[in-house]
Amino acid sequence: MKTSILSKLTLGLVMALAMGLSACAKKGDSAIRTAKRGGEITTSSTCSTGASSIGRIYYPSNPTGFETAVKIFVSTNLPGSAFGNIDASGKLANGVFLTMNLRFDANGTIDKANSKVLVQIRDSLVGTIDQSTGKEIPPYEVQFTSAYNGVLNKQTRKFTVTFEDQYGWIGFDGSYDNNNAMGTVYFKNYSSVDGSSLQQQVMGSFWVPACGLFN
């Protein structure tokens, strides 16, 4: 179900091409992200069968690098220091969860308006009490409600999709079978509130149930 990040790094050339196109994006082409602890979620987390469609982003061979990358990703509106530890194994309740709903036309071109992604970060602070508010700390959620670009090859069962706004982009380069989709997650921020790197990053590997991906 899960694949090594090292085996996926060669796909960076494919994503680099996609991101080169993204660099010329008009920022109005993709919905502004919702990014906060406790978001307004519209991305479906269930398959048509009622089963969960929630997957994971993970990087077990480099847990320190994974946590650093995730904290860079969120730094467009919150400093990484505002987060606790983030598990990289993809097996614990603490970690990064992923839901994607993608639509493609008959030619394999992304249906931008009907494609969504939700990245939910459950760091070690989730469930603890915020001393300033007295309330329980919820997960941090980043959601895009439309895509910037993407293609699907039904013969090879491979896909690439990018979501972008004025703060940066996140891209997914993967393949799928009858059960799961898996691949590599890339991102690049255009700004940072804490001086984090603005270079393109590999966040880690991902997997999601295929029934939810194309649900």
Side-chain angles (χ1 to χ4, degrees):
M1 180 168 62
K2 299 178 180 179
T3 55
S4 168
I5 188 71
L6 294 177
S7 67
K8 292 292 183 178
L9 289 178
T10 55
L11 295 175
L13 292 176
V14 178
M15 286 300 294
L17 175 59
M19 295 311 113
L21 296 174
S22 179
C24 299
K26 296 178 181 178
K27 300 304 184 286
D29 286 349
S30 185
I32 303 303
R33 73 184 74 187
T34 299
K36 59 182 178 179
R37 284 197 182 271
E40 300 170 359
I41 303 307
T42 59
T43 305
S44 175
S45 61
T46 57
C47 299
S48 58
T49 60
S52 172
S53 66
I54 301 173
R56 300 292 292 259
I57 301 176
Y58 61 101
Y59 198 164
S61 64
N62 187 7
T64 300
F66 177 73
E67 181 174 304
T68 298
V70 174
K71 290 181 176 179
I72 291 173
F73 175 63
V74 302
S75 72
T76 56
N77 76 327
L78 277 180
S81 59
F83 292 79
N85 297 326
I86 302 169
D87 178 69
S89 71
K91 298 179 179 179
L92 304 180
N94 175 332
V96 182
F97 295 77
L98 176 68
T99 306
M100 277 197 292
N101 307 145
L102 303 182
R103 301 290 184 275
F104 295 90
D105 66 18
N107 296 318
T109 301
I110 194 75
D111 178 350
K112 298 177 183 179
N114 291 300
S115 296
K116 304 176 182 180
V117 66
L118 169 65
V119 178
Q120 185 189 73
I121 301 167
R122 300 185 63 89
D123 62 311
S124 60
L125 298 181
V126 171
T128 64
I129 302 301
D130 185 336
Q131 298 303 313
S132 64
T133 64
K135 297 181 179 180
E136 186 174 295
I137 297 174
Y140 181 86
E141 293 160 335
V142 180
Q143 179 178 230
F144 288 89
T145 54
S146 65
Y148 170 66
N149 61 24
V151 293
L152 168 69
N153 187 317
K154 293 182 180 179
Q155 284 68 46
T156 62
R157 292 194 164 193
K158 296 182 183 297
F159 65 93
T160 298
V161 61
T162 307
F163 299 84
E164 184 191 43
D165 63 8
Q166 76 255 36
Y167 300 108
W169 57 256
I170 184 169
F172 302 84
D173 190 20
S175 61
Y176 65 97
D177 57 26
N178 292 335
N179 298 311
N180 297 294
M182 59 207 75
T184 305
V185 185
Y186 303 80
F187 74 94
K188 178 180 172 62
N189 291 343
Y190 298 150
S191 62
S192 172
V193 299
D194 64 3
S196 292
S197 173
L198 301 182
Q199 298 298 310
Q200 180 174 324
Q201 307 272 335
V202 174
M203 185 182 293
S205 294
F206 77 88
W207 74 266
V208 290
C211 62
L213 183 69
F214 303 116
N215 186 24

